[in-house]
């Protein structure tokens, strides 16, 4: 019996880190290069994310400006008021309404931002023509780069009562004008549609990049077993996408108490009455408080800090739940 040839050039495993006599990993040249690459990002986060966190104490103070003194001097000399600023925010008459709107809209966004982009990414990945695939990706990705200020003017052109495109079409079909900016019941659908229109392409590209990294031999084996494209998507693509889907879900849950200010304020033309009860969220209310002369900056800061703290708690809670069932898919 002829023996098979031995592999002459086997793949060498990655070298283990060098250890010192005390068993600790020795600092290598690769560590130095990677540290230098990470240094600009680290400095950016320290300067713009961590140092400003000192200003959070303004949420617990009655901040007042004294003549001839700087911000830090005024901040440190202002009177401590404890949780009075938070009490003002929680006791607002509109607080239950804006909290409801923020959470419910985000729950809908979380579900749609997973289901629709994943389905679309699977469809795009099965297009045989690469040129058409790139064209569709670019076409759906473009809205991501548009400002909500610009988008709001296009929406206004569609929805304005007298000369809007939709009302012109309705009149042409024998109907009557609809006051889109005076009838709040339509706005949950409008806002959800605009959110999907603007974010679908970006989220789709994230999942599409993960699909391109799936081993093609899995699809070949499934095809040999007689699996259809739908069955391949169910039993090969979706299980392979589970880590990225879980990661995107955890990140989305962290923003459940925040909202896209441009979507809810700009598109609705200022979230004024009678649309307020349908489009007002925590971010919109914080902006209105900031522009109100009767609300102090400490009370506005307390509203923003509430969002940050609760968002941190929700993302850690979601990560803990995921970690309990699938440790490898957790972020932390």
């Amino acid at each position: 019996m002829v023996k098979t040839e031995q592999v002459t050039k086997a793949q060498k495993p990655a070298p283990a880190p060098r250890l010192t006599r005390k068993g600790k990993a020795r600092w290598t040249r690769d560590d130095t290069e990677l540290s230098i690459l990470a240094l600009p990002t680290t400095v950016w986060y320290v300067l713009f994310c961590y140092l400003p966190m000192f200003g959070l104490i303004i949420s617990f103070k009655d901040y007042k400006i004294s003549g001839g003194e700087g911000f830090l001097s005024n901040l440190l000399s202002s009177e401590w008021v404890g949780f009075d600023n938070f009490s003002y925010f929680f006791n607002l008459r509109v607080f239950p309404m804006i909290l409801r709107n923020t959470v419910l809209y985000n729950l809908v966004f979380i579900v749609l931002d997973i289901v629709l982009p994943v389905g679309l990414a699977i469809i795009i990945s099965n297009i045989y023509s690469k040129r058409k695939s790139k064209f569709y990706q670019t076409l759906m990705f473009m809205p991501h780069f548009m400002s909500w200020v610009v988008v709001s003017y296009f929406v206004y052109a569609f929805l304005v009562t007298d000369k809007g495109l939709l009302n012109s079409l309705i009149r042409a079909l024998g109907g009557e004008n609809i006051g889109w900016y005076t009838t709040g019941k339509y706005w949950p659908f409008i806002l959800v549609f605009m959110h999907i229109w603007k974010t679908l392409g970006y989220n789709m590209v994230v999942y599409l990049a993960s699909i391109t990294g799936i081993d093609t031999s899995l699809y070949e084996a499934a095809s040999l077993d007689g699996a259809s494209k739908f069955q391949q998507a169910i039993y090969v693509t979706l299980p392979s996408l589970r880590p990225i889907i879980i990661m995107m879900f955890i990140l989305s849950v962290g923003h459940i108490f925040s909202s896209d200010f441009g979507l809810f304020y700009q598109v609705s033309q200022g979230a004024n009455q009678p649309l307020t009860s349908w489009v007002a969220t925590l971010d919109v209310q914080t902006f209105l408080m900031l522009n109100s002369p009767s609300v102090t900056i400490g009370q506005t800061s307390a509203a923003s800090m509430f969002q940050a703290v609760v968002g941190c708690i929700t993302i850690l809670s979601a990560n803990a739940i995921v970690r309990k069932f699938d440790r490898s898919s957790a972020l932390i």
Side-chain angles (χ1 to χ4, degrees):
M1 184 176 180
V2 182
K3 296 182 179 180
T4 57
E5 294 183 359
Q6 296 181 350
V7 180
T8 57
K9 295 182 179 180
Q11 293 182 350
K12 296 181 180 180
R18 298 179 180 180
L19 301 178
T20 61
R21 294 180 179 179
K22 296 182 180 181
K24 297 181 178 180
R26 182 182 299 176
W27 188 270
T28 64
R29 182 177 179 179
D30 291 341
D31 296 326
T32 302
E33 293 176 354
L34 293 174
S35 299
I36 293 175
L37 289 174
L39 183 60
T41 304
T42 304
V43 172
W44 188 90
Y45 270 98
V46 170
L47 292 178
F48 297 102
C49 294
Y50 291 102
L51 287 181
M53 291 180 69
F54 173 77
L56 290 176
I57 64 174
I58 200 172
S59 302
F60 304 95
K61 287 199 167 192
D62 182 15
Y63 180 74
K64 294 182 179 179
I65 299 177
S66 302
E69 296 184 4
F71 170 76
L72 288 179
S73 299
N74 291 325
L75 181 61
L76 296 176
S77 61
S78 297
E79 179 185 0
W80 286 93
V81 294
F83 290 94
D84 290 348
N85 291 330
F86 293 90
S87 299
Y88 169 82
F89 179 60
F90 295 148
N91 291 328
L92 287 175
R93 181 177 55 85
V94 297
F95 179 76
M97 179 264 294
I98 60 176
L99 182 63
R100 177 205 64 193
N101 289 349
T102 305
V103 173
L104 291 182
Y105 276 120
N106 279 308
L107 288 176
V108 175
F109 293 163
I110 289 173
V111 174
L112 295 180
D113 285 346
I114 293 177
V115 176
L116 296 182
V118 170
L120 188 59
I122 294 175
I123 294 173
I124 295 294
S125 65
N126 284 284
I127 297 179
Y128 291 104
S129 175
K130 297 298 181 183
R131 180 175 297 180
K132 292 181 180 179
S133 176
K134 296 297 182 183
F135 173 75
Y136 295 143
Q137 292 178 45
T138 304
L139 195 65
M140 288 179 287
F141 194 71
M142 287 300 294
H144 173 73
F145 297 101
M146 296 186 66
S147 169
W148 280 120
V149 177
V150 177
V151 173
S152 65
Y153 283 104
F154 283 102
V155 175
Y156 183 78
F158 273 85
L159 302 182
V160 65
T161 302
D162 52 352
K163 298 181 181 179
L165 182 60
L166 284 182
N167 278 331
S168 298
L169 181 61
I170 292 173
R171 289 196 304 269
L173 296 176
E176 297 181 357
N177 285 344
I178 298 177
W180 300 102
Y181 288 99
T182 57
T183 309
K185 64 180 182 179
Y186 299 110
W187 279 89
F189 304 99
I190 295 173
L191 294 174
V192 170
F193 174 80
M194 295 306 303
H195 170 82
I196 296 301
W197 174 80
K198 197 170 189 298
T199 61
L200 180 61
Y202 177 83
N203 293 330
M204 180 269 296
V205 169
V206 173
Y207 294 112
L208 190 60
S210 300
I211 291 176
T212 57
I214 299 175
D215 190 357
T216 56
S217 63
L218 297 175
Y219 293 102
E220 294 173 358
S223 179
L224 291 174
D225 289 338
S228 63
K229 289 294 184 181
F230 178 77
Q231 291 172 327
Q232 292 177 29
I234 296 296
Y235 298 106
V236 178
T237 307
L238 288 180
S240 301
L241 289 179
R242 187 177 68 173
I244 187 67
I245 291 175
I246 293 177
M247 183 189 73
M248 297 294 286
F249 169 76
I250 293 175
L251 295 176
S252 298
V253 169
H255 294 88
I256 198 170
F257 287 92
S258 300
S259 61
D260 193 335
F261 175 78
L263 171 63
F264 289 92
Y265 187 82
Q266 294 289 348
V267 175
S268 64
Q269 300 294 319
N272 298 316
Q273 291 289 351
L275 302 182
T276 303
S277 60
W278 298 89
V279 303
T281 60
L282 290 173
D283 294 272
V284 173
Q285 183 61 33
T286 302
F287 176 76
L288 296 177
M289 292 171 59
L290 185 63
N291 288 337
S292 175
S294 62
V295 180
T296 66
I297 190 173
Q299 293 167 342
T300 305
S301 178
S304 181
M305 186 177 178
F306 165 75
Q307 289 181 268
V309 172
V310 177
C312 181
I313 293 173
T314 54
I315 196 171
L316 292 177
S317 301
N319 182 81
I321 294 173
V322 171
R323 186 181 180 86
K324 183 177 181 180
F325 293 97
D326 188 0
R327 188 180 183 91
S328 61
S329 298
L331 291 178
I332 305 172

